Amino acid sequence: MADCGNPNVEQDALMQRRKKYDRTRQCVKCHDQLGNVVIRHAVYCKGCFFPTVVGKFRRVLEPSISKDKSKKGLKATGNLCLAFSGGLGSSVLLDLIGSNYFAAEGDAGHDWSRGRGGGTEHPRNEPVWEHATVCYVEVCNAIPGARDRTEEIRQIVSRLASYAKFLPLRLEDAFDHAWWERVGRSKPHGQLFVDLGHQDLLLSIRNTSSSPVAALKAYLASLPTQTAVPTAIHNLIRLLLLHTAQLTNSSHLLLGTSLTSLSISLISSIAQGGGFVVREEAQENWQPDSTSSQKVAVSRPLRDVGMKECAIWAWWRGLEVVGKENYLGGKQGIGALTKGFIIGLERDYPSTVSTIARTCAKLAPKEASDGLCTLCERPVQPGVQDWKERISIRQFDEKAAIARSQPGLIQRLCYACHTTLTSPSSRGGVGQSAIDAVQLPVWVESRVLGSDEMKDVVAEFLLDDED
Ligand SMILES: [Zn+2]
Ligand SMILES: [Zn+2]
């Protein structure tokens, strides 16, 4: 009799269960098997879990690939470039791409892998992309105490993605003219420097013999806030990947961003003034310059798949995940704070995280863009300069007068990049007292030095150089 006693205990138990999943323990797909996993309150059995994830992945990726009308299959206009960080999302991405688009006879007969069964003459056997490249950017020189993982990653990629060519890069390549020439660009005359201590971010050309690693370290050390460093690293990686995608004639650059990491980057980007490009954060088409015909579609095919689903996928598929270097900076940086918040939210309120991504997908800027930012190569919000002028207290000293004749970077930046470089609140707070001018990434050089305004500066520099 004592057993049917305390109704509070029973009610508690009921509420506990309700928190975890709705209604029954039966799989929501087949209504037959008992479920093995709970994803956003829905129960799935192991057999239904795989096709569900594959379905979400294809629904995002495939609309960006053109149809080959004659053969009824998908046929991309270029090659494939996959970004690999060593983290969970990109490990799952490599596995999904391999088993769905590069496997010879299906992936060991799984019903969820498209494979290329049906004989060699079957139209499905036309590969969607001719070649695939897996690109890894080593960041160890930007993070104190980090180790070089390139060789480790090379091993993993050879096992996870035997269908692709491995192309390792280093973060310092962003400051290396040799890399710039490797991606098919012409070598500039000198290095472009920016004075981050000056309100107009004055530009100058110099000839230095400092190494790309030294230039990278100086650049990161000159940034004003804890938040700016991971944001700058993220941007350098993004541009290195985009230019590599172009070099490998890729029509698609795929990133292993899960729903969870997408929500983190959306909130973190908006918090840092990136609201104008919130769409680009989820999906963008990047055109290296107006003359090039090939655009690179940057896609995040796992953007509807949460981190928990990725972890289950990796576990059931026996994938080896090496992990990646954490470069979110200090605990108080916007990136680290947002990550802590979203991960907690996903644990307690799993549906809310997908709402963040869905809501952001509906946002669109009111006005069209003014052109591209020279630093991040994303659309610039019109009128940023006027607004910045109105809110900032400008110094009318000699330096400002000189500035009128000397070009500055300030007119060529988007709002988010301007904030990353100059955030006034804590300038000097990160142990930076006297800021010397620092070298800018090579793509900024090529965009800026090509402009009319810089012709005189370049000419002057060349005269000096002959002395
Ligand atoms: Zn099922
Ligand atoms: Zn920018």
Side-chain angles (χ1 to χ4, degrees):
M1 283 301 275
D3 278 350
C4 34
N6 196 341
N8 282 337
V9 173
E10 253 173 53
Q11 203 183 353
D12 277 359
L14 203 71
M15 288 191 65
Q16 287 284 311
R17 276 209 299 280
R18 240 189 234 139
K19 259 188 189 165
K20 234 176 158 213
Y21 48 81
D22 298 338
R23 293 182 288 273
T24 73
R25 285 210 60 196
Q26 225 75 25
C27 169
V28 294
K29 280 262 166 158
C30 61
H31 306 287
D32 177 31
Q33 301 290 314
L34 278 187
N36 299 92
V37 288
V38 183
I39 295 154
R40 282 176 250 159
H41 302 291
V43 177
Y44 294 87
C45 73
K46 192 171 175 180
C48 294
F49 170 79
F50 289 107
T52 305
V53 172
V54 170
K56 289 179 180 179
F57 156 81
R58 284 196 192 146
R59 267 198 303 278
V60 174
L61 176 61
E62 295 190 351
S64 71
I65 311 169
S66 32
K67 293 259 190 307
D68 186 334
K69 287 182 192 78
S70 59
K71 290 180 174 166
K72 288 186 187 161
L74 293 172
K75 186 72 193 164
T77 53
N79 294 320
L80 178 64
C81 187
L82 293 143
F84 186 68
S85 66
L88 177 62
S90 52
S91 305
V92 171
L93 176 68
L94 257 48
D95 186 38
L96 274 164
I97 291 289
S99 51
N100 280 282
Y101 302 103
F102 288 95
E105 279 300 327
D107 184 75
H110 289 302
D111 56 2
W112 48 263
S113 82
R114 167 133 64 198
R116 287 199 250 144
T120 44
E121 294 306 308
H122 196 281
R124 268 191 312 188
N125 289 335
E126 271 288 303
V128 178
W129 298 276
E130 287 301 324
H131 300 286
T133 306
V134 172
C135 189
Y136 167 71
V137 182
E138 178 54 61
V139 295
C140 65
N141 281 319
I143 301 157
R147 67 189 156 87
D148 189 330
R149 296 168 184 242
T150 308
E151 282 317 305
E152 208 177 323
I153 298 281
R154 186 194 299 276
Q155 303 272 321
I156 295 282
V157 169
S158 71
R159 289 197 286 274
L160 262 181
S162 50
Y163 55 88
K165 187 171 151 255
F166 181 58
L167 202 160
L169 294 176
R170 309 187 70 83
L171 199 58
E172 56 269 26
D173 288 340
F175 298 89
D176 192 348
H177 284 163
W179 172 75
W180 194 234
E181 284 179 280
R182 275 207 301 282
V183 295
R185 304 307 186 100
S186 54
K187 192 180 167 168
H189 299 298
Q191 280 96 350
L192 186 68
F193 276 68
V194 64
D195 180 357
L196 290 181
H198 192 280
Q199 59 187 354
D200 288 325
L201 304 177
L202 296 186
L203 292 166
S204 55
I205 307 171
R206 298 183 186 184
N207 231 338
T208 66
S209 52
S210 73
S211 69
V213 175
L216 167 70
K217 288 186 170 170
Y219 178 73
L220 295 177
S222 69
L223 298 174
T225 61
Q226 267 192 354
T227 294
V229 175
T231 304
I233 294 176
H234 178 83
N235 256 326
L236 294 178
I237 294 176
R238 190 180 145 267
L239 268 293
L240 287 168
L241 290 172
L242 285 170
H243 285 283
T244 303
Q246 195 207 359
L247 171 73
T248 54
N249 289 321
S250 298
S251 53
H252 292 80
L253 169 65
L254 306 189
L255 310 179
T257 319
S258 68
L259 172 65
T260 317
S261 20
L262 176 64
S263 302
I264 295 170
S265 49
L266 286 168
I267 297 287
S268 163
S269 160
I270 291 171
Q272 292 171 68
F276 188 72
V277 291
V278 74
R279 286 194 148 205
E280 279 77 6
E281 200 65 52
Q283 169 97 45
E284 65 182 304
N285 284 310
W286 178 76
Q287 195 171 11
D289 47 66
S290 49
T291 55
S292 62
S293 53
Q294 177 79 283
K295 278 188 181 177
V296 180
V298 186
S299 175
R300 292 163 176 81
L302 296 177
R303 68 163 192 235
D304 289 339
V305 180
M307 199 182 272
K308 183 178 170 186
E309 289 155 274
C310 288
I312 297 168
W313 180 280
W315 172 252
W316 274 340
R317 293 274 294 152
L319 302 185
E320 192 180 350
V321 179
V322 275
K324 57 179 177 183
E325 206 61 62
N326 174 16
Y327 57 85
L328 286 178
K331 284 192 186 122
Q332 295 307 309
I334 290 177
L337 289 173
T338 314
K339 186 174 179 184
F341 170 69
I342 301 281
I343 301 268
L345 195 64
E346 181 160 64
R347 193 178 51 229
D348 300 332
Y349 307 95
S351 312
T352 317
V353 174
S354 65
T355 310
I356 294 175
R358 273 205 309 273
T359 309
C360 287
K362 288 179 196 150
L363 300 175
K366 271 196 287 190
E367 311 146 279
S369 160
D370 246 3
L372 289 184
C373 168
T374 52
L375 189 54
C376 71
E377 304 200 351
R378 277 181 167 174
V380 176
Q381 182 171 11
V384 169
Q385 280 323 308
D386 301 344
W387 187 78
K388 283 270 180 186
E389 294 274 334
R390 280 203 303 276
I391 60 151
S392 64
I393 301 158
R394 297 180 63 85
Q395 307 157 349
F396 289 100
D397 58 6
E398 259 175 80
K399 238 179 154 187
I402 298 166
R404 261 170 250 132
S405 58
Q406 194 179 348
L409 186 64
I410 192 154
Q411 301 87 357
R412 305 155 206 268
L413 291 177
C414 69
Y415 181 74
C417 285
H418 183 251
T419 307
T420 300
L421 293 184
T422 62
S423 183
S425 55
S426 52
R427 167 64 78 196
V430 192
Q432 224 42 50
S433 42
I435 312 138
D436 199 11
V438 289
Q439 193 186 330
L440 284 161
V442 284
W443 49 85
V444 186
E445 277 172 12
S446 90
R447 280 197 182 271
V448 169
L449 296 185
S451 68
D452 284 345
E453 201 190 344
M454 284 301 282
K455 291 247 162 71
D456 294 343
V457 184
V458 176
E460 222 170 279
F461 170 79
L462 290 176
L463 282 176
D464 288 351
D465 213 25
E466 277 161 19
D467 293 343

